[in-house]
Amino acid sequence: MSKKTGELLLKLRGLMTKYGQLSAYIVPSDDPHMSEYVSSNFCRRAFISGFTGSAGTAVVLQDKALLWTDGRYFLQAEKEMDENWTLMKAFMPGTPTKEDYLSANLEKSSKVGIDPKTCSVQLFKTLNKQLKGAGMELVPVPDNLVDMVWDDAPAAPSAPVFVHDLKYAGESSTSKLETLRKKVKDKQCGSIVLSALDDIAWLYNLRGSDVNYNPVFYSFAIITPDDGSH
């Protein structure tokens, strides 16, 4: 049964107008760590579109809403999305990419919003380059607009973090940090910032359960030649 999204889209479009006169708003599937799997409070694309598959990107315009996903999920998306949404069958002949569609269907000087915490640097650069070439602007919106219409959003996970025993880890976190600090120093860098959850869990020999079926915990880490904070 499809989820009714009309009221949600109406509220989201109101926020798009309020936060910068946006002609479109992009809702990726990612969390701020670019994780393959995310905790329930980051399932914004699923919430706004009704489509619960693991891969896809929603794009909401002022007069329509579109969902790009790949061939694994065409049937599922058609069943889960209501009449407000159009399925864009990614990688199929005749289906434009998101940036191609926006460039062709929005007026010049249009603004396209995205939460910069939910897209990779590469994706942002790709979108920005093509939209700029079409006379449009990609606008980083610091406050996630979907969160503002998600009244009963799940709380952020706060499961306990525990030590991964040395007999399983194979190397102490102290040793790993010393090696990494040396590499940072050799590169003449002031620090390295880690955002990938598995990298942080490995480096500090810690484990968690913030994401279902993944032994990780939400965190960032900054390692300097003399210190490693997280």
Side-chain angles (χ1 to χ4, degrees):
M1 183 176 178
S2 62
K3 174 180 178 178
K4 297 302 179 184
T5 62
E7 288 297 319
L8 290 173
L9 290 171
L10 185 63
K11 292 178 181 178
L12 180 59
R13 287 171 176 139
L15 291 172
M16 289 164 56
T17 300
K18 179 180 178 180
Y19 285 81
Q21 294 292 325
L22 303 176
S23 298
Y25 187 67
I26 301 173
V27 186
S29 300
D30 298 299
D31 64 10
H33 306 267
M34 302 298 107
S35 305
E36 182 176 3
Y37 303 100
V38 303
S39 63
S40 56
N41 63 305
F42 289 125
C43 293
R44 298 171 174 123
R45 184 261 304 153
F47 169 75
I48 199 65
S49 69
F51 168 60
T52 62
S54 65
T57 301
V59 179
V60 179
L61 284 69
Q62 289 292 350
D63 60 347
K64 61 188 67 176
L66 309 104
L67 186 285
W68 274 260
T69 192
D70 63 68
R72 295 172 295 170
Y73 296 114
F74 292 165
L75 294 178
Q76 179 181 345
E78 288 173 344
K79 289 180 179 179
E80 292 184 332
M81 295 192 303
D82 69 5
E83 68 280 359
N84 293 294
W85 288 85
T86 299
L87 173 61
M88 305 297 285
K89 297 181 177 181
F91 311 117
M92 297 294 289
T95 301
T97 63
K98 297 176 288 295
E99 51 270 27
D100 284 340
Y101 180 90
L102 292 170
S103 297
N105 288 275
L106 296 180
E107 295 180 0
K108 284 189 176 182
S109 76
S110 291
K111 296 180 180 180
V112 177
I114 191 170
D115 179 350
K117 300 183 294 298
T118 63
C119 70
S120 66
V121 172
Q122 185 58 51
L123 174 59
F124 192 93
K125 287 181 177 179
T126 299
L127 289 169
N128 188 53
K129 181 179 180 180
Q130 183 143 350
L131 292 175
K132 188 175 181 180
M136 302 174 192
E137 180 183 358
L138 182 62
V139 180
V141 183
D143 298 317
N144 193 283
L145 301 187
V146 174
D147 287 350
M148 296 183 189
V149 302
W150 195 352
D151 294 333
D152 58 347
S158 57
V161 175
F162 56 91
V163 174
H164 188 53
D165 196 280
L166 182 60
K167 67 180 178 180
Y168 302 117
E171 182 181 2
S172 69
S173 59
T174 300
S175 174
K176 293 176 181 178
L177 282 165
E178 286 177 352
T179 300
L180 182 54
R181 288 190 185 109
K182 183 178 184 302
K183 290 184 179 295
V184 171
K185 188 174 183 179
D186 289 346
K187 294 290 185 179
Q188 297 183 330
C189 294
S191 64
I192 181 172
V193 178
L194 300 181
S195 61
L197 302 184
D198 52 348
D199 286 350
I200 297 169
W202 175 85
L203 181 64
Y204 289 96
N205 286 348
L206 297 172
R207 298 293 185 269
S209 57
D210 283 351
V211 181
N212 288 339
Y213 316 116
N214 289 263
V216 295
F217 50 94
Y218 278 104
S219 58
F220 292 92
I222 301 175
I223 294 90
T224 69
D226 304 308
D227 185 29
S229 303
H230 66 285

